[in-house]
Amino acid sequence: MLEVTHLVKEFGGLRAVNDVSFRLRANTISGLIGPNGAGKTTLFNTIAGLYRPTAGEIVFLGRRITGSAPHRVFGEGLVRTFQIPRPFAAMTVLENCMLVPRRQAGERFWNNWVRRATVRAEERRCRDRALQVLTFLGLASHAGEYAKNLSGGQQKLLELARVLMADPKLILLDEPGAGVNPSLLVTIMDKLRELNARGITFLIIEHNMDLVMTLCDPVLVMAQGKLILEGPPAQVRTDPRVLEAYLGGVPA
């Protein structure tokens, strides 16, 4: 589904992503781990189009997206969430979801006068779809609340709801477990499994090793901008290179 080949991203003299290559198979939940500063989020930002790569190639579903603008990558079905959720705080939860679908007729202001019936019908469909997504994620009872009033964990779910409104094929999840209480974390993991069973592929940055080792296969490990290992959780958990990256050495 996704092929990253010899990807490099430099900021002045700093090489944040250093010759990274990997492939993601469709219908998998893959994990991306590594210590702070390893280059994980920079890799996400480069794949998603926020950063233009210094070198290398990115191919998604057979189409080259290297250097494409974020909205074009989004339009291809490759979407991402952020470690710190970024909802529109002064809009309701429902409104946050309804604004996601692209090319809505109502976005052209004159359609609200000359194509009123079309705009209304499309908005009803969008609202129904948003309510279905919110119900699936357990947020339907909060549909009318302002997004700023949600808890941190609920905002993580809203972030997921918004990307689901885009009918994605691949979701890059940036630390879905960060700041989430244990019970809600279990809910998020269950929803990710269910979405994966429906055909959505995931690549997840996460520091919660229990989540990664339970949910993800394969697991990719980065350190100092490089991809140092890719393999099943059992292999990654005991690999000396991973222990070196996290602990600075292999315990005696």
Side-chain angles (χ1 to χ4, degrees):
M1 172 169 277
L2 178 70
E3 294 185 62
V4 175
T5 307
H6 300 301
L7 195 67
V8 175
K9 178 57 188 174
E10 295 178 343
F11 299 95
L14 173 65
R15 182 167 285 200
V17 175
N18 188 1
D19 195 27
V20 169
S21 298
F22 64 91
R23 293 181 176 183
L24 288 187
R25 291 182 294 108
N27 300 321
T28 56
I29 303 178
S30 301
L32 178 61
I33 67 171
N36 289 331
K40 304 182 298 296
T41 297
T42 301
L43 177 64
F44 262 29
N45 287 337
T46 307
I47 292 171
L50 184 61
Y51 298 152
R52 189 175 185 87
T54 305
E57 187 172 64
I58 306 166
V59 176
F60 179 61
L61 293 175
R63 297 184 62 176
R64 187 177 184 273
I65 61 169
T66 313
S68 295
H71 70 279
R72 296 193 181 279
V73 176
F74 178 91
E76 295 288 340
L78 195 166
V79 302
R80 68 157 300 177
T81 66
F82 294 87
Q83 179 181 352
I84 300 174
R86 302 179 181 182
F88 292 95
M91 298 177 70
T92 68
V93 170
L94 181 63
E95 289 167 344
N96 265 270
C97 292
M98 289 180 64
L99 63 79
V100 174
R102 303 171 71 231
R103 300 189 180 95
Q104 296 185 53
E107 293 175 3
R108 298 181 181 274
F109 71 91
W110 55 83
N111 282 339
N112 293 281
W113 285 271
V114 301
R115 299 179 62 198
R116 290 182 183 180
T118 297
V119 171
R120 284 198 297 266
E122 187 176 70
E123 188 165 303
R124 281 195 298 271
R125 291 193 297 270
C126 188
R127 179 186 177 87
D128 290 345
R129 168 66 176 152
L131 286 171
Q132 288 175 0
V133 170
L134 292 173
T135 299
F136 170 72
L137 293 173
L139 289 176
S141 62
H142 301 283
E145 293 185 30
Y146 289 121
K148 64 184 178 182
N149 295 333
L150 298 182
S151 69
Q154 290 169 334
Q155 289 196 7
K156 294 275 187 178
L157 287 172
L158 176 56
E159 188 92 336
L160 182 56
R162 294 199 302 171
V163 299
L164 291 177
M165 289 294 294
D167 293 322
K169 301 177 180 70
L170 170 61
I171 300 177
L172 308 179
L173 282 180
D174 197 344
E175 296 204 41
V180 176
N181 69 60
S183 62
L184 192 53
L185 182 59
V186 171
T187 298
I188 291 174
M189 291 173 65
D190 288 342
K191 297 304 181 184
L192 295 181
R193 288 191 185 96
E194 188 170 343
L195 291 168
N196 179 243
R198 296 181 183 182
I200 297 178
T201 303
F202 291 92
L203 176 60
I204 303 174
I205 293 177
E206 186 54 67
H207 286 287
N208 184 321
M209 289 299 102
D210 288 338
L211 182 152
V212 172
M213 297 303 165
T214 301
L215 193 63
C216 302
D217 189 5
V219 178
L220 292 75
V221 186
M222 287 187 70
Q224 298 179 341
K226 296 183 178 181
L227 185 65
I228 62 172
L229 179 65
E230 178 180 354
Q235 175 189 351
V236 169
R237 187 183 291 113
T238 58
D239 192 280
R241 291 167 290 180
V242 179
L243 297 175
E244 174 73 27
Y246 274 98
L247 304 176
V250 181

